[in-house]
Amino acid sequence: QVARPVAVPATAPGPFQRGDCVQVWSNGQNSWLDARVDEVIAQECVIEGVGRAAAGTVRVSTAKQHLFVPPGEVPAALRPVSDELAKVAVIGPGAGVKANKAVYSELKRDRRFRIQVLGARGEGYDRYPEPWEGGQPPPNLESFAAELLANGAVAAADCIVAGSRGGQVVLPSLWR
């Protein structure tokens, strides 16, 4: 989309610059999405297909779309990706992701944390392994843990949240 300046000069405020890695809040997905800053609009302009954009509007790209974040929404909708954020891996099966949805939503919004839910209740692997009473052959929670280790999903986590079967099966398998 092409930005066309209008006759209102303004400065380009804000902490973000072109190329910065950020996360943008998605109301639709109720989570932070990885993005990159494409542009910080220096002066008010009209953008084809979008409309008027104020000075300080930040254009970001996620994996699927381009978004324009107005300057008044930047503090709540954008956050820098920093090693200072605590990376929290939540083992989905058994963690009460649905029952505790409000708590997980609040954690996802908290600027101190980067939450990643790994796996989900009811998936094909969400069953106990054979050594357990009523256990089943792979895919099961033990093979799910092996997959998490193989793809590095938990390697960078500062904290792992696990409950119930995720804590009984997945967590000990990660420790081995």
Side-chain angles (χ1 to χ4, degrees):
Q1 294 169 339
V2 179
R4 293 197 178 110
V6 293
V8 182
T11 59
F16 299 107
Q17 297 178 359
R18 180 184 174 101
D20 284 352
C21 291
V22 296
Q23 289 189 320
V24 60
W25 179 255
S26 168
N27 287 327
Q29 295 184 31
N30 197 34
S31 66
W32 291 97
L33 305 176
D34 291 330
R36 184 171 301 273
V37 174
D38 295 325
E39 174 184 16
V40 179
I41 296 175
Q43 63 182 26
E44 184 176 342
C45 63
V46 176
I47 300 171
E48 281 184 40
V50 175
R52 202 171 282 276
T57 297
V58 180
R59 183 179 67 151
V60 299
S61 294
T62 68
K64 295 183 179 180
Q65 61 187 336
H66 298 287
L67 303 168
F68 292 84
V69 181
E73 295 178 25
V74 167
L78 289 180
R79 67 181 182 185
V81 174
S82 167
D83 288 339
E84 294 177 18
L85 296 177
K87 295 172 189 77
V88 179
V90 178
I91 307 301
V97 175
K98 289 184 181 179
N100 299 306
K101 184 177 181 178
V103 173
Y104 285 109
S105 292
E106 189 170 329
L107 280 174
K108 286 180 179 181
R109 289 181 186 263
D110 193 313
R111 292 178 175 264
R112 297 171 296 171
F113 305 109
R114 189 170 186 183
I115 309 295
Q116 182 180 17
V117 178
L118 305 168
R121 176 183 185 203
E123 294 294 326
Y125 51 77
D126 188 14
R127 56 191 192 172
Y128 285 95
E130 290 178 305
W132 290 77
E133 183 179 323
Q136 310 229 346
N140 55 38
L141 291 166
E142 199 169 60
S143 64
F144 173 64
E147 184 179 311
L148 292 178
L149 285 172
N151 69 20
V154 294
D158 297 308
C159 173
I160 297 174
V161 175
S164 187
R165 58 199 177 279
Q168 294 170 323
V169 179
V170 178
L171 194 57
S173 296
L174 297 176
W175 287 341
R176 287 187 206 148

